[in-house]
Amino acid sequence: MLNEGSKQKHTVLIIDDSPINIEHLAQVLKTDYNIKVANKGEPGIEVAKSQQPDLILLDIVMPDMDGYAVCRRLKADDKTRNIPIIFITTKSDTEDETRGLSLGAVDYITKPFRTPIVKARIKTHIKLKHNSDLLEKLALIDALTNLPNRRRFEQILKREWGRSRRSQSPLSIIMLDIDHFKEFNDHYGHLAGDSCLTRVAQSLTLPLKRPADSIFRYGGEEFIAVLPETDHAIAMTLAEKMRSQVARLLIPHAYTHTSHPYISISLGAATVIPSSRHSPNDLVEAADQLLYNAKNAGRNCVKGILMPSTPLGEPVSSGD
Ligand code: GH3
Ligand code: MG
């Protein structure tokens, strides 16, 4: 069976101590799948981690570590938790089957098996996995701008907070909001508003060159960037670049009540070296407060702060 949208075959890992069983299953499946094999639990777990198969066929009765224990280990590890497991075994008691399924296996097939049934079940479970991966991905992406959404932001901020805390490196975020966007919608219409949001979103990604940098649609016309290993001076430079990228779009906005008749953004940039003194939420609140300050300072500008790891950080500002 081919991967959706590509010519590559899906990979099935067979973990079974019997060479005859492995040979038989591999023969049956090799035209449709890439086959990986392991004849014991421990090497099977290693192959699952390194090769990331699309599905695992797992025997129950094996020396050293039985299939239940292998399943428990695979389900306890983030790297292998989501790989569907089908037990394929001679143990046909209801009790054994219930135990296998309660450990998180998606299916249970008893030997001797009928080839078309095994093939159909494997195909179904790979398709289900593909669909659930797609749904999960879609749930983290904003449909209008195609940027990752606030839910994804929460996950990434938590992850980067942990990493920066361990390495004691600076973590910066930039929160920004389109100026006078309500008037834009009121005068140019909601569709023009949507198209403006999409163009602003695209231009915000341009200054972010490092692979670890990311930007999210935080809500309505608000966006937030996460910049790991980025000190405050660089965060301020990036925020200023974002501001000028959006200004350069020259999207007319005749109702801004300012001398600048184009769409503009206001930004707040906050930097911290994470420690027990602060939480990720403190960083977000600091950026939000700076964004508010930028609005009060006349909009179309950047305000920033290096949060103190010892008392009193120096507020910094730039822009026009
Ligand atoms: P400020 O400069 O203080 O940020 O003023 P503002 O008018 O931008 O802020 P306000 O919060 O009053 O209005 C935000 C507007 O953004 C109101 C809302 O209709 C619009 N908006 C939020 N999400 C969307 C969207 O997905 N599409 C469109 N077209 N408009 C949106
Ligand atoms: Mg706004």
Side-chain angles (χ1 to χ4, degrees):
M1 192 188 165
L2 298 182
N3 261 320
E4 303 276 325
S6 85
K7 293 201 161 52
Q8 270 199 331
K9 283 179 182 175
H10 286 111
T11 299
V12 172
L13 167 62
I14 305 168
I15 308 178
D16 196 318
D17 65 315
S18 154
I20 296 168
N21 286 347
I22 289 186
E23 181 58 30
H24 180 40
L25 278 168
Q27 275 301 331
V28 166
L29 299 173
K30 72 178 183 199
T31 45
D32 295 327
Y33 301 99
N34 284 322
I35 305 296
K36 305 275 174 202
V37 298
N39 62 1
K40 278 185 185 164
E42 200 66 61
I45 292 168
E46 286 314 309
V47 177
K49 275 192 209 165
S50 61
Q51 303 288 318
Q52 293 288 302
D54 298 286
L55 185 133
I56 297 172
L57 293 176
L58 181 56
D59 186 21
I60 292 181
V61 184
M62 293 188 288
D64 301 338
M65 193 191 298
D66 70 12
Y68 297 128
V70 175
C71 183
R72 217 176 283 117
R73 287 266 303 274
L74 290 168
K75 292 294 163 196
D77 189 325
D78 282 347
K79 287 203 194 87
T80 50
R81 174 169 302 143
N82 294 322
I83 304 171
I85 296 172
I86 299 180
F87 278 117
I88 187 150
T89 176
T90 44
K91 286 170 91 69
S92 56
D93 292 355
T94 305
E95 208 178 294
D96 293 321
E97 183 167 347
T98 310
R99 186 169 171 206
L101 295 175
S102 72
L103 287 172
V106 291
D107 211 342
Y108 192 99
I109 299 174
T110 49
K111 289 188 262 190
F113 55 79
R114 278 171 291 160
T115 303
I117 303 285
V118 172
K119 281 186 162 181
R121 287 188 174 176
I122 292 175
K123 190 173 169 188
T124 299
H125 286 297
I126 289 183
K127 179 86 182 139
L128 282 173
K129 171 68 168 47
H130 173 80
N131 288 352
S132 73
D133 285 354
L134 197 65
L135 271 180
E136 195 169 308
K137 200 169 152 213
L138 289 176
L140 297 172
I141 289 182
D142 168 53
L144 178 66
T145 60
N146 264 336
L147 291 184
N149 61 18
R150 182 169 178 163
R151 222 177 120 216
R152 185 67 179 147
F153 163 76
E154 308 285 356
Q155 294 175 349
I156 297 293
L157 180 64
K158 193 171 161 208
R159 185 184 79 193
E160 295 304 336
W161 183 273
R163 280 193 186 158
S164 304
R165 190 170 164 177
R166 282 191 293 279
S167 62
Q168 279 300 285
S169 54
L171 175 66
S172 295
I173 64 169
I174 300 172
M175 190 180 268
L176 63 107
D177 179 287
I178 302 179
D179 297 327
H180 299 301
F181 196 54
K182 187 172 180 319
E183 280 97 333
F184 187 90
N185 267 302
D186 290 349
H187 289 91
Y188 297 99
H190 209 264
L191 280 182
D194 282 359
S195 143
C196 171
L197 270 168
T198 307
R199 292 183 65 196
V200 168
Q202 278 166 0
S203 70
L204 293 173
T205 62
L206 298 179
L208 305 179
K209 309 276 191 224
R210 293 184 187 171
D213 295 344
S214 41
I215 181 144
F216 306 81
R217 186 175 180 197
Y218 192 62
E221 20 89 74
E222 231 178 341
F223 298 85
I224 194 158
V226 177
L227 313 166
E229 287 183 52
T230 303
D231 68 25
H232 193 57
I234 295 176
M236 290 299 284
T237 307
L238 285 172
E240 181 51 33
K241 279 189 184 165
M242 286 174 167
R243 191 198 65 75
S244 71
Q245 279 291 351
V246 171
R248 221 180 293 162
L249 289 174
L250 294 176
I251 300 173
H253 188 350
Y255 306 92
T256 58
H257 316 296
T258 68
S259 56
H260 180 80
Y262 300 101
I263 279 287
S264 63
I265 55 173
S266 299
L267 308 92
T271 306
V272 73
I273 295 178
S275 69
S276 57
R277 269 181 62 100
H278 301 289
S279 69
N281 205 34
D282 293 338
L283 186 63
V284 175
E285 275 176 17
D288 195 22
Q289 178 60 46
L290 289 156
L291 169 57
Y292 181 77
N293 295 352
K295 294 278 181 192
N296 281 340
R299 297 177 169 78
N300 193 20
C301 65
V302 182
K303 296 287 171 193
I305 193 169
L306 171 59
M307 291 172 74
S309 43
T310 51
L312 285 179
E314 286 296 307
V316 194
S317 68
S318 87
D320 53 17

